[in-house]
Amino acid sequence: MAETTRVSRALLLVGVVLTAQLCACTAYGGDGFSVEFIHRDSVGSPFHDPSLTAYGRVAKALARSYARADAPSGHGVVSEITSTPFEYLMALNVGTPPTRLLAIADTGSDLVWLNCSKKGPHGPGPAFAGDAPSPPPPPGVVFDPSKSKTYSPVGCDSGACRELHETVCVDSKCAYFYGYGGGSTTSGLLSTETFTFADDARGSRARVPNVNFGCGTTFVGKFIGDGLVGLGNTNLSLVTQLGAHASLGRRFSYCLRDFGPVIVPYSVNVSSVLNLGARATVTESGAATTPLIPSRVKSYYTIGLLSVKVGNATYAAPQQSPAIVDSGTTLTFLSKALLDPLVKELAGRIKLPKAPPPADLQLPLCYNITGLKEGQIAAKIPDVKLGLGGGAAVTLKALNTFAVVQKDTLCLAIAPSARSSLIGNVAQQNMHVGYDLDKGTVTFAAADCARSYSAHPPSPAHAHAHAPAPATSGSLCRRVAINLITMVRMHQSILLPCSVELIKALFFYRISFAGPKSAVDNDVKARYPILFLKPSILFF
């Protein structure tokens, strides 16, 4: 009897484990989850332009920085800094069954919105004053809410609707209008849906129900991607919504890998990683934590910048200078009171021949690096230390302060700003940057992002935008597991004498499912044809 019980338990364990592995449908755990963070110009992005040289991509990224940072401020709903240029994207699966989309990830805004079909019972949405006809959507994916079992429009009296500045009630549904600096706008219906995130670290998926998002049907501007995921510091952002789940908390982090030699970025087929939940905790040695300070725009992550230091020379800001931490801008921007003495100090220490900057880039300090290798260049550039609020200090290496903007021309990747200072993504390369909204802090730590936090190589470029989402949902996997357990318990008298053969069959099937086709597949299929039936046929 004891032997029978042990075999029975073994069969149950094997069945449950294999079901979980085959379905990859684990819910997010207490340590959170990680998703791919894709630079728009990298080889793995559908927006990668193979006709551009590496230097051309750098120049375009720097030019986008000016457009983003100089975007004019409008009324309260318009973000001062957030214009249409963006740098990073993330994949998410929306609805039931899920639709895979590739959306802009933006730390400078709050609303999550997606391109939605104008068909169906909830489209096309209301018209707002000033709306222009929508241009044809860019190549990508459009979410059709009529095909999802979990889609629901949000009511006008909901808290989420009240969070938005400009809304109107249409048939008891919350219709919104949302604007960005530079004149870009989106409008549609505020809605809820189930979002599923591919957990890069585990190879599983994290399923989160009832996420508020804008089902956008009208657009003005040059948006890329299939929508936008706001990661800003407000109640509507994805970070805050995930924080409603106690195991996650309102925190996230990223580690932006350096993309090449000082810098010739975006030429490799490897992505960075965005961490949510406990995985966002910055544990590297030498981490520097600084408090968030009030910002004129609530969604921005703003910290106090007190000084810049090169060697023994420290230059203090006339008063505490607010600085926005922004992954969506390439350049760093400093007030002239900090930038001018920094440029003078660097010019006196760097022993390289000067060079003129490219005509279309307002960069204050450039050098001719003809014939020099990466290590030789880095050795000539001193560290720059940023003194932050709370006594924190962040060290910027050569790859954080200089960029190769054209062949044989190296320039300081810091530009003057007449407004707030801004710490861009060049300055954040090879740093683990963690945002904790519950504690009100941002933490920086030097890290080898390629080694410790790199995502798996992304799919071919257009697969991100067009690949179908995995068909197996969490509920289906749970039903499969329950049916499997029930089947084993009901048929123990038949299964137990065949336990060895059954375990072998399941083991071989797992290998067959996970790996390439081989002669083993045909052998297993011939001996155990029932294992190759579709789950819907086998269990329902």
Side-chain angles (χ1 to χ4, degrees):
M1 181 66 183
E3 181 65 22
T4 298
T5 302
R6 282 196 296 272
V7 174
S8 177
R9 289 176 178 174
L11 284 170
L12 288 173
L13 177 62
V14 169
V16 172
V17 169
L18 288 174
T19 300
Q21 290 178 328
L22 293 176
C23 293
C25 59
T26 55
Y28 55 84
D31 66 336
F33 58 92
S34 303
V35 298
E36 199 176 357
F37 211 38
I38 308 158
H39 195 280
R40 60 178 286 170
D41 289 330
S42 69
V43 177
S45 165
F47 306 102
H48 174 79
D49 185 350
S51 68
L52 288 175
T53 65
Y55 306 113
R57 292 186 188 98
V58 174
K60 281 188 171 291
L62 297 181
R64 289 193 296 267
S65 294
Y66 289 105
R68 184 169 164 91
D70 292 339
S73 177
H75 51 86
V77 70
V78 175
S79 298
E80 175 186 346
I81 168 184
T82 309
S83 183
T84 49
F86 299 94
E87 299 303 309
Y88 285 90
L89 304 115
M90 61 185 288
L92 58 155
N93 303 303
V94 180
T96 308
T99 299
R100 182 177 173 83
L101 300 104
L102 188 64
I104 295 160
D106 184 34
T107 54
S109 63
D110 53 0
L111 180 67
V112 179
W113 62 265
L114 303 170
N115 295 332
C116 281
S117 169
K118 295 187 179 184
K119 300 180 296 182
H122 304 299
F128 285 82
D131 271 358
S134 294
V141 176
V142 175
F143 175 66
D144 186 349
S146 67
K147 295 182 178 178
S148 173
K149 299 176 183 177
T150 45
Y151 172 84
S152 179
V154 167
C156 305
D157 58 349
S158 68
C161 189
R162 290 192 294 269
E163 287 290 329
L164 291 169
H165 293 277
E166 194 164 339
T167 60
V168 64
C169 197
V170 178
D171 297 330
S172 300
K173 302 180 184 70
C174 179
Y176 71 90
F177 175 90
Y178 196 90
Y180 298 87
S184 300
T185 63
T186 176
S187 60
L189 290 178
L190 191 64
S191 310
T192 64
E193 237 326 344
T194 295
F195 279 43
T196 305
F197 303 90
D199 187 341
D200 183 77
R202 286 199 182 102
S204 59
R205 292 186 294 279
R207 193 168 182 266
V208 183
N210 301 318
V211 175
N212 289 298
F213 78 106
C215 201
T217 53
T218 303
F219 313 96
V220 177
K222 296 180 179 178
F223 291 106
I224 68 167
D226 306 324
L228 187 146
V229 177
L231 299 171
N233 189 7
T234 69
N235 291 335
L236 273 182
S237 79
L238 181 66
V239 179
T240 299
Q241 292 194 62
L242 293 180
H245 299 267
S247 64
L248 291 177
R250 298 190 303 153
R251 50 188 169 171
F252 71 99
S253 74
Y254 50 73
C255 201
L256 305 182
R257 56 164 292 132
D258 65 299
F259 289 91
V262 195
I263 325 165
V264 182
Y266 327 133
S267 57
V268 293
N269 195 27
V270 180
S271 297
S272 299
V273 163
L274 177 72
N275 305 299
L276 295 122
R279 290 191 205 172
T281 304
V282 179
T283 58
E284 289 83 358
S285 61
T289 299
T290 186
L292 290 165
I293 63 174
S295 174
R296 287 182 299 163
V297 179
K298 187 179 178 182
S299 61
Y300 297 168
Y301 293 101
T302 305
I303 60 177
L305 177 59
L306 307 182
S307 64
V308 294
K309 181 179 181 181
V310 182
N312 294 323
T314 300
Y315 302 96
Q319 54 188 10
Q320 180 171 338
S321 173
I324 300 163
V325 185
D326 183 30
S327 65
T329 304
T330 301
L331 285 173
T332 289
F333 290 87
L334 294 180
S335 65
K336 286 183 66 64
L338 286 175
L339 181 59
D340 287 350
L342 173 63
V343 169
K344 185 176 180 180
E345 186 67 34
L346 289 172
R349 290 173 178 265
I350 297 174
K351 306 305 180 185
L352 288 170
K354 295 283 185 67
D360 55 343
L361 296 176
Q362 307 166 31
L363 300 176
L365 187 62
C366 294
Y367 294 100
N368 186 321
I369 55 169
T370 302
L372 294 178
K373 296 181 179 179
E374 179 184 356
Q376 294 173 311
I377 298 169
K380 294 178 180 292
I381 298 174
D383 293 347
V384 175
K385 288 190 177 182
L386 303 180
L388 307 177
V394 174
T395 300
L396 304 182
K397 300 292 186 180
L399 64 86
N400 304 118
T401 53
F402 280 82
V404 178
V405 299
Q406 62 187 26
K407 184 173 173 57
D408 297 329
T409 302
L410 178 77
C411 292
L412 182 66
I414 304 176
S417 171
R419 301 181 182 179
S420 297
S421 295
L422 183 148
I423 301 173
N425 61 51
V426 167
Q428 298 178 59
Q429 285 187 117
N430 265 356
M431 283 192 192
H432 189 191
V433 183
Y435 301 76
D436 192 321
L437 279 66
D438 294 320
K439 294 181 179 178
T441 60
V442 180
T443 301
F444 302 84
D448 185 346
C449 297
R451 180 183 297 273
S452 303
Y453 293 96
S454 243
H456 297 305
S459 307
H462 296 286
H464 280 297
H466 299 283
T472 307
S473 69
S475 58
L476 173 59
C477 287
R478 284 191 292 274
R479 292 198 299 274
V480 169
I482 291 170
N483 277 278
L484 179 61
I485 292 169
T486 302
M487 181 181 70
V488 172
R489 285 177 173 170
M490 289 177 62
H491 302 287
Q492 286 188 39
S493 60
I494 300 173
L495 294 175
L496 289 178
C498 307
S499 59
V500 174
E501 284 293 301
L502 180 60
I503 291 171
K504 282 181 180 179
L506 290 171
F507 176 75
F508 281 124
Y509 179 54
R510 179 187 180 279
I511 295 175
S512 171
F513 186 90
K517 296 295 181 183
S518 67
V520 176
D521 295 3
N522 297 328
D523 178 60
V524 174
K525 189 171 184 178
R527 295 171 64 188
Y528 310 102
I530 192 172
L531 293 175
F532 286 79
L533 296 177
K534 293 180 180 179
S536 58
I537 299 174
L538 183 59
F539 296 104
F540 303 105

